[in-house]
Amino acid sequence: MTGSRVLNRALRSKIMSASEAAALIPAGSNVGMSGFTGSGYPKEVPAALAERINALHADGFDFKISVWTGASTAPELDGALAAVDGIEMRLPYQSDPACRARINAGQMDYIDIHLSHVAQFVWFGFFGKLDVAVVEVAGVLEDGRLVPATSIGNNKTWLDQADKIILEVNNRINPAMEGMHDIYYGTALPPHRKPIPLVTPSDRIGEPYFRCDPSKIIGIVETHAYDRNSAFTPPDETSRLIAGHILEFLAHEVKKGRMPENLLPLQSGVGNTANAVMAGLEQGPFENLTAYTEVLQDGMLHLLKRGKMNFASATAFSLSPEAVDDFNRDVEFYRERVLLRPQEISNHPEVIRRLGVIAMNGMIEADIYGNVNSTHIRGSSIMNGIGGSGDFARNAYLSFFMTPSTAKNGQLSCIVPMVSHVDHTEHDVQVIVTEQGLADLRGLTPKQRAKVIIQNCSHPSYRPALQAYYERSLRESPGRHTPHMLNEAFSFIQSWKAEKAAMEVEKAIHSGLAATKVPA
């Protein structure tokens, strides 16, 4: 066992191959797996399980499991299991093409819920019993405590609630990460809940390790594999314009005295626009920044490295290969400035409200009254999921939603008369931003919102049509609080351009199904 990170002598007898571990997962199980935005997911057991399922299906046996995670994972987990039709139900967030294809084809059930709700719903028993947990860790200590990996997500809950546990111990993870985690064991079920004692992003309120009942561990697989670290494309002009509008607005808020000169803790969704905002902050006037967010991307690492940001709290990393190299070179530096927490804490409404977080999240479309769709195409086909955007938007001090003003090379307007699916109502949306401009919706009535969104955020190609729709709605429903023509409200979605775009989506879906060998 030279070089093994399984330091507990009793647990060394549980070390086995991925295939042997996969054989311990029964059909019909609810399986909680680690992983959040491509980091900290099990690398080998899901792939071995997919091979086993494929073989069983070839022999005529039906074998599926329900997969619960922290958020999206990677092709080695979601993709592998979806490709062999091995997932009965998936929650709470996914971004894998094969998963998406099966969900939209009606071949996989999917529950899309707020990320802050997952752990407590499992504790409440809303989803049934958690049979097995498959969790990646960086090591097992002599006393049986577990060293967390590059994401925390819902792992604490999986380890607490699962009847049986399979560990993947990944010796690829930099051992100097130990101590970068803050696992809080102070939560309780109603009516015994107490306030979470967290008042700044840097507060340590828990422990650096997972507790785990060793009697529940049925297998340990030792691995040596990298996370899914995807390169980010450089910010394009659209992203830079969106970022510029946000930074100008934040400077205005500071000047008005509505927030301190170092702003308030930042939360940022995943993607190139989010990184463009971080790049703008790196060049901007703000100093001593902090972050209280879900995911730590390249942009926040750069802010920490340049001394513009003092501290960042998250539940997972989502880094490019270059950023991973930088992190591993200077892990001691980052260990003093970064904490990873369970997502029930990173996304907790109580904490978000207390800290006064500035939330910045992407969307698919917004309507002229400020309702936001962040999950569905044409109202019925899921894209990824709501993730944590609702946790932050509803409770933030400032809530931004960002998108280019058009999609499909200009064929679709992302500002529409009425969204085809509502994830964030007008009550939770304070600022909408596109490359065209920014709409500050605070304190505005629905009619005032419509005017500023159409004027500031819509693309010039669609602005006249949106304005015409709004003016006709005023004439045909005078005095109404929120004027609409319901027979035409989805006209932008039902146009021939939208039909063409929808055909492309359907084609992509069926191409994905073909690639995963799903029966027609």
Side-chain angles (χ1 to χ4, degrees), residues 137-155:
V137 295
V140 181
L141 300 180
E142 291 90 342
D143 60 7
R145 289 178 299 166
L146 308 178
V147 181
T150 51
S151 70
I152 301 295
N154 288 312
N155 295 351

Side-chain angles (χ1 to χ4, degrees), residues 393-426:
R394 185 73 186 273
N395 299 286
Y397 176 80
L398 268 179
S399 172
F400 292 87
F401 280 95
M402 314 170 290
T403 182
S405 61
T406 64
K408 296 292 181 183
N409 296 317
Q411 295 183 75
L412 288 172
S413 174
C414 294
I415 305 298
V416 296
M418 181 182 286
V419 289
S420 59
H421 177 91
V422 180
D423 292 292
H424 311 281
T425 72
E426 61 190 272

Side-chain angles (χ1 to χ4, degrees), residues 151-178:
S151 70
I152 301 295
N154 288 312
N155 295 351
K156 171 189 167 292
T157 294
W158 300 163
L159 295 169
D160 286 346
Q161 287 287 292
D163 288 342
K164 299 177 181 179
I165 296 167
I166 296 171
L167 299 177
E168 284 202 11
V169 180
N170 189 349
N171 63 14
R172 174 71 74 174
I173 299 168
N174 193 324
M177 275 192 68
E178 186 173 346

